[in-house]
Each structure stands twice: as C-alpha cells, then as structure tokens.
Amino acid sequence: MPFGFIAAYAVIVAVASVIEVPIGRGFKSVQLNLLIRLGSLAAALAALVVVHGAAVPTGQSALLGLGIGVLTGIGSIIYCLALIDLPLSLVVTLSNLYIVVTALLGMSLLHESVTAVKIAGLALTLVGVLLLAYPPASRYGVHSASSSAKKAPPIRAFLMMGAYVVMVGIGAFLEKPALRELDATQLNALMAVTMTAVAFVAFAVEGPKVQTSLRSLGGLGIGALIGMASVFYFLGLSGLHVALAAASSNAYIVV
C-alpha cells in the first residue's frame, strides 16, 4: 500500500510537470512559484477540512510541520534563483541530490537499515537522475521556460544549489518524525501554509504583478495537483523508510 501511494504521487506530479511547461511560459519563476503554492495551499486545506473538519493541529508537532515548510519553501526560491544562471537540465540534476542527504540522515539518526540492496538502489537512482537530465522540475522546484543560462555560470549558482540540496534534504528527512504526531493531511497543510508565505515574500521582492488570465488559473491548477500529490507522498512515507520514500518518489521522472 505505501508503494501504491508513492506511485500515485509519481503519476500526479508527472502530469503536473508536463502541464507546467506550457503554462510557465511568460511567467518569471517567482510568479509561477507563487501561483503553484497558492493552488497547493487550497488543495491542502480542502483535504484537511475533509478529514479533520475545523480542527487545527497545535503543539510542537505543528511547529515542526511549519518549520519544514519554511525549509522547503526557501529551497523552492533558491531553485528559482539558480535558474537565472544555470541551465534547467543542470539545476534538475543537482537538485535531485537531496536524496543523498535525506538517506544519510535517515540511516544515521533514525537508524534505518543499511543494506547492499538499498545502497545499490540509491546509486542506480542517482545514475538515472544523471542520465535523464531533462525532466521539468524537482519535487519542490518550479521553473519557467524563459529561465536558462546564457553565459558561464558563476560560483554563487553552484553554492545556491548546494544550499538547496542541504535544505530540501533536511526537510524531507524531518517529514518522517513529523508524521509520528501528524497525519498526512495535517503535515501537508502546515507545510503548504509556510511555503506559501515564503513564496509571497519572494514575490514581493522579485516579482511584478501577475496578470489574471487563463494561464494564471493554470498555474493554480498545477499547484492543486501538487497539493493533492503531496498527501499521497506523506501517506506512503508513513509506511516506508525515509530514504526509500524519497528515492521512490522520483519515479515521476520516468512517468
């Protein structure tokens, strides 16, 4: 069943990523990021209300969920900024290295088993990421078609991608202990709140006003798909080791 949830996540995110390509044309990355986060927030809150009604999670577990959202939200902004100086294919390849950070933390801090099969599987996943270097986006990232490198990339771009890998890797690791106190819809909603807040801040600093159009509605729709997919991911994560869930979720690239 957990693998079934991860498979559902992979299919939905794959569809959202394909739709994102034409929808993203004409938007700056921070604009598209905000639209997607707003759509994800709407879907996350709807799922929370369906399962829990008006009850809002509180306590340390809620703060952890909000904190994870801040990490991953900032990671999305870093991803957008890296696209200014680096080609999309390289950003996607580097961004998926977050799996290594997540896996190492799970094995060292959660004492998840270290087996030859798991190491081989992780290695093959990374090889696949390198070979398939042209997927539309990472799990937490967005892009617009106009974002590409036109000159030799500066060192700061690679430093930003290093920060992205560490932050998103830590965030993905922390989701597992958070699910001990929260269910999938609660964690998804808490993260969506702070990720949207981070997106608003970045948009206020970097992005001009988004014109209302059918394409803008398309951005919201992509976000709703991702918000729905995230619930499936957390349901799968509840029954899997964090390293296995993080690696398996990247099957959306194949789809």
Side-chain angles (χ1 to χ4, degrees):
M1 185 64 73
F3 283 110
F5 289 132
I6 297 295
Y9 167 87
V11 171
I12 296 172
V13 170
V15 172
S17 296
V18 171
I19 297 172
E20 182 184 335
V21 175
I23 293 295
R25 297 191 181 110
F27 287 116
K28 287 189 174 182
S29 294
V30 290
Q31 293 174 322
L32 185 58
N33 185 50
L34 177 60
L35 289 171
I36 289 177
R37 295 308 164 211
L38 288 171
S40 296
L41 177 61
L45 293 179
L48 181 66
V49 170
V50 169
V51 176
H52 294 282
V56 178
T58 58
Q60 291 185 345
S61 57
L63 292 177
L64 178 57
L66 293 171
I68 297 171
V70 171
L71 280 175
T72 52
I74 294 175
S76 287
I77 303 304
I78 293 174
Y79 186 99
C80 293
L81 295 176
L83 285 169
I84 297 173
D85 297 311
L86 296 175
L88 174 61
S89 59
L90 182 56
V91 172
V92 170
T93 299
L94 295 176
S95 69
N96 280 279
L97 292 176
Y98 84 88
I99 299 172
V100 176
V101 176
T102 301
L104 291 176
L105 288 173
M107 294 174 186
S108 59
L109 298 182
L110 296 180
H111 306 294
E112 295 181 349
S113 59
V114 182
T115 64
V117 172
K118 182 178 290 186
I119 293 174
L122 184 58
L124 289 173
T125 299
L126 295 178
V127 170
V129 168
L130 293 174
L131 292 175
L132 299 171
Y134 296 93
S138 73
R139 183 175 158 214
Y140 291 109
V142 300
H143 76 279
S144 62
S146 61
S147 298
S148 62
K150 296 182 175 64
K151 56 184 179 180
I155 296 298
R156 70 170 183 273
F158 293 100
L159 293 177
M160 284 193 295
M161 286 310 302
Y164 171 93
V165 168
V166 172
M167 294 180 70
V168 173
I170 293 174
F173 160 74
L174 291 174
E175 290 165 358
K176 183 65 175 182
L179 286 171
R180 293 172 181 168
E181 303 294 334
L182 302 168
D183 71 13
T185 59
Q186 290 173 324
L187 178 57
N188 189 40
L190 290 168
M191 288 181 59
V193 168
T194 45
M195 289 179 75
T196 304
V198 171
F200 261 117
V201 172
F203 174 76
V205 174
E206 294 286 340
K209 182 179 179 181
V210 178
Q211 298 297 324
T212 303
S213 65
L214 290 177
R215 187 165 289 181
S216 299
L217 293 177
L220 295 173
I222 294 169
L225 286 175
I226 293 175
M228 183 192 315
S230 296
V231 175
F232 285 110
Y233 175 79
F234 293 136
L235 287 171
L237 178 60
S238 298
L240 295 173
H241 286 173
V242 64
L244 183 56
S248 300
S249 67
N250 277 273
Y252 83 86
I253 296 174
V254 179
V255 180

